[in-house]
Each structure stands twice: as C-alpha cells, then as structure tokens.
Amino acid sequence: MISSTQRAQGALAALGIDSTRLAPYIDGHFQRDYTGDYCAVVDPATEEPLIEVADGQPADIDRAVASARASFESGAWARRRPSQRGQILNRIALTLRERAEHLAVIETLDVGKPHAEALADIEATARYFEFYAGLADKHGGRTVPLADHLVDFTLLEPIGVSGQIIPFNYPAQNTGRGGAPALAMGCSVVLKPSPDCPLNPLLIAAIATECGVPAGVFNVVPGGVDAGRTLSSHPGIDQITFTGSVATGKEVALAAARNVTPSVLELGGKSPVVVFDDADFELAIAGVSGSIFSNAGQTCAAGTRLLVQRSARGEEFLDLLVERARSLTIGEGIEGATLGPLVSKRQQERVAAYLEAACEGGGVVLTGGGVPDRKGYFVEPTVVEVPNNKHRLAQEEIFGPVMTVIRFDGLEEAAEIANDSEFGLSSYVWTKDIDKALSLAKRIRAGQVNINTFEVGTGIEIPFGGFKNSGWGREKGIETLASYTQTKNVCIGLNTALTR
Ligand code: NAD
C-alpha cells in the first residue's frame, strides 16, 4: 500500500522538487540555508506527513516585502509592455496544464479533496492566468471631456506591492485568483497561504519564475497568525487581498486601515438554496448536493441553507437529497472517494461541536450527524432539519458537509429567510418559473445569484464577492482589476492665453 508520504514525494519529484523541506519562496527561489523552523504538512485523509514546510515568521515577511518592493521599484515587471506580461502569464497557464496531474495530486493530499475536484481546481487556476493574460493589454484609462482648452486623460498604474492572505480550502485557485490579476496589472506580490495547505502556492510561485516572471515579483511565505498579522499591518505593502473568516477579516481590515492600505475582503457565507416545487429535480439534486458536499462543505460559497417549499413535492426533494448524501463514498480523495476529510483535526472538532448542537431547539438529523470511527478528519455528510432560520445551525458558518433544511410557503417568505443572515456571499434558486426566479434574484442581498446552476471551480470571468459581513470589494472578472491599479489623472492646458 503506497503511503501519502510516498505519493507526495512522487508528485513533488515529477514537479522538480527533490527536497524533503520547502523554505519560503522569496526573490525568485526557495530560500537557501533557511534557518527558521519547519512544520510537517499532513494528509488529512491518512494523517501521514507529506513534507515539511517553513513556519514563516515576521522576519520572513519583512524579507519578502523588501524583495517585492525592490522588484516593483526596478520596473522590471511593472514597466514592462503589458502584452509581454500577458505572454508570460499565458506561459504559466500552459505549464499548469502540462503539470496538472501532479499538481492535482498535491492539492488532493494537501487539502483532502476528491481528485476530480483537485483537477478542476488546477484547470481553474490555469484559467485565472489565461484570463488575466488576455486583459493585461486591454485594461486602460479614458479621456475625460472638459473645457475646450483642456485635454484630460487617466492612466491606470499598477498599485504596487500586493499583500495576499489566503485560506486553506482552495490554495491553488486562490493563488491564481489574486496572483494572476495582480501580476497582469504589473504589481509585485507577497502571498501568505494557510499553514495547513501551503504546497501549491509555493509550487506556483516557482512556476511563475520558471516562465519568466522576474525574481522578487511573486513571493510566497507560508506561516500562521504572526506572519499574517505582519503582512496585513506592513507599511511596505500598497494593497491587501484577504480571503478567510469574518473574524480574521475584521482584524486584517483594521490593521490595513492604520496604514491607509486599501483592502479587499472575501469572507464567509451561509448561502441560501431555494428549491421551489416546480424545479427540475434531476438537475436540482445534483446542483444542491454539489453545492454543499464538494470539498466536504469547506467552500465559502457553499449552499448551506436549503429552503424547500412546504408540500408533497418538497418532501420528495428532501428524500432525494438524503438519498444522495447517503450515496457519497467517504475516503481518500486520491482513491476516488466522493467525500474527503476536513482539512485538520481542529476543523473536524469544530464541525463535530455543531453536530452535537444539531438537535437543540428542535433540530432533527435526517441523515449523518456523526464522525466516522476511522483514521483521518472525516465527518459524515449530514442533513439537519431545523424549525426555523434562527437556529444556530442556520445562522453560523459551519464549514463542513452539513446542510440545514428550513421550510417555506411562498416567494415572500423565501426572500425573508434567505436574507435573514449576517452573510451575503452567494445564493441559489431552483425553479422553472423565470418570473419567480428573477423576482427572487432582485430581492436576495448577496453578491451572486445562481439560477438553476451550480458549477464547481468555474466562474473566473464572473465578479465574486460579498454583501454584508461576507466582505467588500470584488475578485474575479474584470472587476477585480480595480484593486490592483491606481487611477492617475493627467490634465493638460492648451494655449490658455488665447482661449480665456
Ligand atoms: P482564517 O480566517 O482562519 O484564516 C485565513 C488566513 O488568514 C490564513 O492564511 C491564516 O493563517 C491567516 N490569519 C489568521 N489569523 C490572522 C490574523 N490575525 N491576521 C492576518 N492573517 C491571519 O480562515 P480559514 O479557516 O483558513 O478559512 C475558512 C474561512 O475562509 C471561511 O470563513 C470561509 O468562508 C472563508 N473563505 C472565503 C472565501 C471567499 O472568497 N469569500 C473563499 C474561501 C474561504
């Protein structure tokens, strides 16, 4: 039986890494002679170590910011012709695709997700680089019509050094999501991945160098809270993109505000999934179960609150959902399981605490509700019906494979329940009635409304971000480019003596 350690070593060797330790990636290389501490990165499905990775400290962040700053000021990337930056980003996309299988193995072992999902993640990561490669030489300023004696235009300049802090759940995709647009606009980057899942961010930074991104432009420092705090409060960065929980996001925003550093916050969610009686159940059941059970529910935009219409058809839908949940195979993602583990023991314990509270206040567990007695940080796929939306399981972000079910009668009530949340990240509506679907779409307060669809790992082209406590700013799409550029206005007076 091949161990997780052997699998990781095999994939890393195929990716050109023959070391048993990965140091921070600064100034175009893994730091040689790194003297800091290392931590073992563990496969959450087997609890076996994969490789040791540096536990980056504030001094490492300082070094990375200095490197990013020097690379930015040199103009080697920021002042390069945008089409040439685009060519290099396209090369990164191509390389990611060529190495997709090995990178997906790493993603599966690092996060625990099913291999098919990891492959989709690597493709999405390649798409980020490809999409922003195409925009590098198309995102320009405008001319402003003023008085006859004036000519006015805007320049969109790279904002500078972008600090990026990402969570554990989509390390490859999040590296592309923030990294690719920043690079396309000419910024330099310091990215701090989660200490739980730092592997692909480090590997992608090395690929960027290999493909022609100059040294110092793309730095990755793995580390924990101290490293994160140092980055978000660093006076040497010009912008910060944070993806993670609401509590950490508030801290990051406060730290950034002290330096007047603009921030993008992509935070948590408790996204409603409204299923009307007239929905196409065959389509809906695949989408609804995908939206809660992919990545074992560890997705910010997961559809975690199922609002199902009170009727015989509604009952039928719930039966189908329970049946679907029971059909999932729990196990190692690398072996083809359809439900992997949670990322860590800590995350498993957190979700288990919610499961213990499930039956409080009238909650009824329809399926699952436990932690399987096996190695690895698994949680059973769970569906819990709660009496109303005030129940704790309907209000708090659980971040596990736990669907909360609430009944509704009509469209008005569905809208009220959907909006009764501190979050507003995403939402899903399933109905064949376009009138109902669009009426609800206009009422729901969330950054995204998905009607009769749920696509995992796609949507690079679509703006993404939250209302309310789910954050501010937008990533993805053309919209994110505003975060990585500064607008400079240039106004020219023409022969003013004659015209005044
Ligand atoms: P987290 O907030 O615990 O950590 C996120 C990142 O912040 C990690 O890299 C962590 O090391 C770092 N960090 C922790 N404390 C910090 C501090 N005080 N200052 C600076 N950095 C700090 O989140 P997590 O558990 O890794 O991820 C799960 C959360 O992320 C969920 O709430 C989920 O909804 C959210 N998320 C949001 C999106 C989105 O796009 N909206 C996407 C993925 C995940």
Side-chain angles (χ1 to χ4, degrees):
M1 176 87 174
I2 180 163
S3 70
S4 301
T5 315
Q6 289 165 322
R7 281 191 211 273
Q9 279 168 359
L12 287 166
L15 292 162
I17 305 282
D18 52 13
S19 159
T20 54
R21 294 176 141 191
L22 288 178
Y25 193 87
I26 300 174
D27 221 16
H29 53 84
F30 291 103
Q31 294 288 276
R32 298 173 200 110
D33 307 323
Y34 182 70
T35 53
D37 291 336
Y38 287 82
C39 296
V41 175
V42 166
D43 178 352
T46 60
E47 303 180 34
E48 290 165 4
L50 302 175
I51 186 171
E52 286 194 323
V53 169
D55 179 19
Q57 295 301 313
D60 302 311
I61 295 286
D62 286 342
R63 248 194 311 281
V65 171
S67 170
R69 171 62 51 199
S71 74
F72 183 72
E73 300 299 342
S74 78
W77 183 249
R79 290 202 289 275
R80 188 171 294 193
R81 195 177 173 128
S83 61
Q84 290 176 354
R85 291 200 298 260
Q87 283 163 13
I88 290 173
L89 294 201
N90 267 324
R91 222 174 284 152
I92 298 174
L94 198 67
T95 308
L96 291 171
R97 288 208 175 97
E98 281 166 4
R99 300 179 193 172
E101 179 53 37
H102 302 304
L103 293 166
V105 167
I106 293 297
E107 195 78 340
T108 299
L109 297 174
D110 201 3
V111 189
K113 60 181 70 189
H115 185 58
E117 291 181 24
L119 265 176
D121 283 2
I122 302 301
E123 170 56 22
T125 309
R127 281 284 299 132
Y128 279 115
F129 283 96
E130 191 173 61
F131 181 73
Y132 292 108
L135 285 167
D137 59 357
K138 294 170 194 67
H139 191 62
R142 65 189 181 103
T143 55
V144 183
L146 289 177
D148 194 45
H149 67 283
L150 293 173
V151 173
D152 192 285
F153 60 91
T154 63
L155 294 172
L156 298 188
E157 299 184 349
I159 198 164
V161 175
S162 169
Q164 309 205 346
I165 300 178
I166 64 170
F168 66 80
N169 54 352
Y170 289 89
Q173 277 212 54
N174 276 320
T175 302
R177 186 166 108 178
L183 293 182
M185 294 298 103
C187 297
S188 291
V189 174
V190 176
L191 184 145
K192 192 206 79 63
S194 159
D196 287 327
C197 301
L199 298 183
N200 270 328
L202 286 162
L203 298 173
I204 293 168
I207 287 174
T209 305
E210 189 188 321
C211 291
V213 172
V217 171
F218 199 5
N219 308 278
V220 175
V221 180
V225 176
D226 286 349
R229 284 196 173 126
T230 305
L231 186 55
S232 57
S233 62
H234 210 294
I237 61 169
D238 301 294
Q239 182 274 348
I240 187 144
T241 297
F242 172 80
T243 307
S245 61
V246 174
T248 312
K250 286 180 181 173
E251 203 183 313
V252 166
L254 281 169
R258 283 191 196 99
N259 295 323
V260 200
T261 303
S263 57
V264 175
L265 299 182
E266 290 287 358
L267 309 180
K270 192 77 192 174
S271 301
V273 184
V274 183
V275 177
F276 286 95
D277 273 356
D278 61 357
D280 177 333
F281 280 5
E282 203 180 321
L283 261 186
I285 203 66
V288 172
S289 67
S291 79
I292 181 63
F293 296 126
S294 57
N295 207 19
Q298 302 166 113
T299 302
C300 52
T304 49
R305 280 189 299 149
L306 174 64
L307 278 51
V308 65
Q309 202 156 16
R310 200 187 310 273
S311 68
R313 284 272 293 162
E315 282 311 315
E316 209 182 297
F317 186 79
L318 270 184
D319 290 344
L320 287 172
L321 181 66
V322 166
E323 197 183 306
R324 180 60 70 107
R326 289 185 180 144
S327 74
L328 294 170
T329 52
I330 296 181
E332 287 180 60
I334 205 78
E335 297 282 0
T338 50
L339 188 82
L342 299 187
V343 75
S344 62
K345 179 95 191 138
R346 188 171 61 100
Q347 203 63 22
Q348 185 194 39
E349 286 171 355
R350 201 174 156 267
V351 175
Y354 277 105
L355 296 181
E356 273 165 34
C359 296
E360 288 168 11
V364 177
V365 176
L366 302 181
T367 188
V371 169
D373 182 19
R374 57 176 292 165
K375 224 176 170 45
Y377 312 129
F378 295 92
V379 168
E380 290 171 358
T382 299
V383 181
V384 181
E385 176 157 11
V386 294
N388 59 54
N389 195 54
K390 299 289 176 216
H391 195 278
R392 190 174 155 213
L393 266 69
Q395 287 292 329
E396 296 177 20
E397 188 182 43
I398 299 172
F399 231 54
V402 183
M403 174 67 103
T404 313
V405 179
I406 303 151
R407 313 278 177 146
F408 73 91
D409 286 309
L411 191 136
E412 272 305 314
E413 196 188 1
E416 259 168 49
I417 300 173
N419 287 333
D420 176 24
S421 171
E422 66 167 298
F423 300 105
L425 190 55
S426 197
S427 61
Y428 306 86
V429 180
W430 296 89
T431 173
K432 283 184 190 155
D433 182 339
I434 192 72
D435 197 78
K436 266 195 302 211
L438 291 182
S439 301
L440 202 50
K442 291 179 91 170
R443 287 281 302 279
I444 288 179
R445 298 200 62 225
Q448 292 198 320
V449 181
N450 301 282
I451 298 170
N452 296 329
T453 184
F454 170 74
E455 308 269 345
V456 191
T458 55
I460 277 80
E461 309 84 350
I462 299 168
F464 183 74
F467 282 33
K468 303 192 264 183
N469 277 2
S470 290
W472 60 47
R474 290 292 176 268
E475 287 201 88
K476 302 189 177 185
I478 296 173
E479 285 75 0
T480 197
L481 298 180
S483 305
Y484 300 108
T485 47
Q486 280 279 31
T487 301
K488 181 183 279 176
N489 192 76
V490 180
C491 189
I492 307 146
L494 294 178
N495 198 1
T496 48
L498 280 182
T499 48
R500 272 194 191 142

